[in-house]
Amino acid sequence: MRVHSEVEYTGVRELRGPLVVVEGVTGVGWDEFATIVLDSGECRHGLVLEVDRDLAVLQVLEDTAGMDRTGTRIGFSGAPLRIPVGAGWLGRVCNGRGEPADGGPPVVGSVDAAVGGAPINPVRREPPTEPVLTGIGAIDVLTTLVRGQKLPVFSAAGLPHLEMAVQIAAQATCAGEAFAVVFAGMGLTHADAAFVREGLAERSAAKELVLLLNTANDPVIERLLTPRLALTVAEHLAFGEGRHVLVVMTDMTAYSEALREVSAARGEIPARRAYPGYLYSDLASLYERCGRIRGRPGSVTVVPVLTMPAGDITHPVPDLTGYITEGQIVLSGDAHAHGVYPPVDPLASLSRLMRKGAGAGRTRDDHPYVAAQLIAALARARQVRELADLIGRPALSPTDRRYLDLEDAFLRGFLAQNADERRALEDSLDRAWDVLLSLPRSQLGMIPAAVLDAYAAGGNGVGRDGTTS
């Protein structure tokens, strides 16, 4: 990423956290890429955050540690940061700046692309219509992920969101079509980074994975660059080479905290909980880069993972993410406490585009009905459990006691699966039927009679436990 410039500036006025303030500059623009050469000969890189007359504020990708105001030379490229893109990224492991971390040579490509990118023009967007199957029953059946969708995972400290993110990245498929995964890790511990590399080794060896890992001790500015690199690589794989690409980004809370740190260093007026007022637009500039483009093959689907501080879903990061994205998958501390993995809370989770990618010709004809009925049954089961806490289980009606049993059957028979288990959609739907058919037929009013007859044992309206309506 070394940039050759005819003019180098030495007027460093201030070093402020990850920022460098340079004076006496001319012709420098916002988001311009720069090369910073220290007195020792070390080369670092930066991006222009702000320009005011002859002053330019740069964010240094490698941080300002060890830098001195004197002896530092800065050359501006006259253009935003660009990286090579193409299939050369597949199978590679890089740091958050895109530099090899696997011992291999630098990534090369036939063309370059600007890292900043841009959201897809709404006029050219193609409506999502096909599913991305993750091999996780709770997602595939109840919150189906659709190609071109942005569907975040909301978690909290202590919940297995990283394990779930790795499982999604390792197992996701698109009905046999050309597929790739770009995994962007931000603020990971070294143990977590090693876990990610190990869990995705098979997909990486198959040249279906791009892995970008920013660890907690890496410069904070690198954390802001990592998701943009990931999306730039994904866009070319999708719209340039016709692949369906899944981008998994974790943890967006770590990204937002890095944004807050840089904002504080710039002396900006803080907004909610000291985050910058432009947090919403910054997150949207990432999430809105997914989708499908009319007339072009391929798609970019985004699954951002974020941890909610203290489990607060009204925290600015999950709150603003929910406004931008098309649903959410929420992890439950209660399910995790019962030893269930993945601990998905089905009543708090939602995929707003699910009906675009589920049903006849896409998954299975009974899928939408089964999902709706199962969610309704779980909602009723939760009400019954609250009633049972008041009056006791013996005072419940036989039907209400069936709902309590259904909730337990859902946790153990449908929701629970191993972290390395790729569950086929047919198996997941059959398990959902097993749970539902523990209820009397009269309680399955959201499923058309013809569908119920076709999938109930014997097709005569008799449940698999022998009960009748």
Side-chain angles (χ1 to χ4, degrees):
M1 290 195 298
R2 179 68 184 266
V3 176
H4 300 282
S5 176
E6 295 182 0
V7 180
E8 290 185 331
Y9 297 90
T10 58
V12 176
R13 172 184 284 191
E14 185 180 358
L15 299 174
R16 188 194 310 153
L19 306 180
V20 175
V21 181
V22 189
E23 61 184 356
V25 302
T26 58
V28 174
W30 176 81
D31 204 33
E32 193 168 328
F33 187 56
T35 299
I36 305 166
V37 181
L38 278 59
D39 195 32
S40 63
E42 179 187 352
C43 181
R44 301 187 185 183
H45 307 90
L47 295 172
V48 177
L49 287 181
E50 185 179 345
V51 178
D52 183 10
R53 292 183 291 273
D54 69 335
L55 293 179
V57 180
L58 283 75
Q59 55 182 8
V60 184
L61 302 184
E62 297 88 351
D63 210 346
T64 58
M67 290 181 60
D68 197 319
R69 287 179 55 197
T70 60
T72 297
R73 308 189 307 277
I74 301 173
F76 296 92
S77 68
L81 173 61
R82 301 180 68 87
I83 60 169
V85 291
W89 285 92
L90 294 170
R92 298 303 304 271
V93 180
C94 298
N95 64 18
R97 299 190 301 276
E99 298 171 348
D102 53 8
V107 179
V108 296
S110 57
V111 295
D112 290 347
V115 170
I120 297 174
N121 187 335
V123 177
R124 298 191 62 196
R125 281 187 181 273
E126 186 75 28
T129 55
E130 301 292 338
V132 176
L133 298 180
T134 65
I136 298 177
I139 298 176
D140 292 345
V141 173
L142 300 180
T143 57
T144 309
L145 181 63
V146 183
R147 299 178 201 177
Q149 183 178 11
K150 40 194 180 292
L151 185 65
V153 175
F154 289 0
S155 184
L159 298 182
H161 48 270
L162 184 62
E163 290 87 339
M164 188 170 170
V166 170
Q167 185 176 10
I168 291 172
Q171 298 181 171
T173 58
C174 268
E177 298 187 39
F179 187 73
V181 175
V182 180
F183 190 101
M186 292 161 281
L188 302 178
T189 65
H190 287 284
D192 285 343
F195 171 78
V196 171
R197 292 186 67 163
E198 181 181 353
L200 298 178
E202 184 177 342
R203 180 143 249 174
S204 182
K207 303 292 185 181
E208 296 177 344
L209 176 77
V210 180
L211 195 53
L212 299 170
L213 296 177
N214 164 265
T215 56
N217 64 332
D218 286 331
V220 66
I221 294 297
E222 180 181 300
R223 211 160 298 154
L224 302 182
L225 186 62
T226 303
R228 290 175 169 80
L229 282 175
L231 289 164
T232 302
V233 173
E235 285 167 344
H236 184 79
L237 291 173
F239 308 129
E241 301 189 6
R243 299 173 186 265
H244 295 288
V245 184
L246 174 65
V247 181
V248 179
M249 303 188 297
T250 179
D251 177 344
M252 292 306 296
T253 302
Y255 168 86
S256 301
E257 289 173 352
L259 193 68
R260 178 170 61 181
E261 183 174 336
V262 172
S263 175
R266 294 175 65 182
E268 295 174 334
I269 298 174
R272 291 174 58 193
R273 303 203 188 184
Y275 287 96
Y278 51 81
L279 177 62
Y280 177 88
S281 58
D282 191 276
L283 291 173
S285 72
L286 298 176
Y287 299 150
E288 293 294 348
R289 290 173 68 175
C290 75
R292 304 185 69 177
I293 298 178
R294 184 170 285 110
R296 290 195 190 182
S299 63
V300 176
T301 306
V302 174
V303 176
V305 180
L306 56 93
T307 51
M308 303 177 291
D312 181 11
I313 201 169
T314 66
H315 183 274
V317 180
D319 186 34
L320 296 178
T321 294
Y323 280 114
I324 302 166
T325 55
E326 294 117 5
Q328 68 277 330
I329 299 168
V330 181
L331 302 190
S332 164
D334 290 340
H336 182 63
H338 283 86
V340 175
Y341 174 88
V344 175
D345 183 347
L347 299 184
S349 303
L350 169 69
S351 173
R352 294 189 180 93
L353 299 182
M354 174 177 170
R355 290 192 173 274
K356 301 289 185 181
R362 295 183 177 89
T363 53
R364 210 168 74 176
D365 60 346
D366 61 321
H367 183 178
Y369 307 116
V370 169
Q373 184 67 75
L374 189 54
I375 292 294
L378 291 170
R380 171 74 182 277
R382 184 167 295 183
Q383 293 176 334
V384 171
R385 185 166 297 280
E386 293 174 354
L387 180 62
D389 291 340
L390 293 174
I391 65 175
R393 183 184 176 107
L396 297 175
S397 68
T399 299
D400 284 346
R401 288 197 290 271
R402 290 285 187 89
Y403 274 103
L404 289 183
D405 295 338
L406 176 139
E407 189 177 34
D408 294 335
F410 171 80
L411 288 176
R412 304 299 174 185
F414 176 84
L415 186 60
Q417 67 180 88
N418 295 326
D420 59 352
E421 176 187 353
R422 178 180 290 161
R423 186 174 291 173
L425 179 63
E426 293 283 336
D427 184 16
S428 296
L429 286 170
D430 289 345
R431 287 170 179 264
W433 273 109
D434 287 337
V435 173
L436 287 174
L437 291 175
S438 64
L439 294 174
R441 182 176 177 127
S442 61
Q443 300 298 308
L444 305 179
M446 300 182 72
I447 303 178
V451 175
L452 189 56
D453 290 340
Y455 286 93
N460 58 3
V462 179
R464 295 185 185 184
D465 62 351
T467 62
T468 60
S469 56

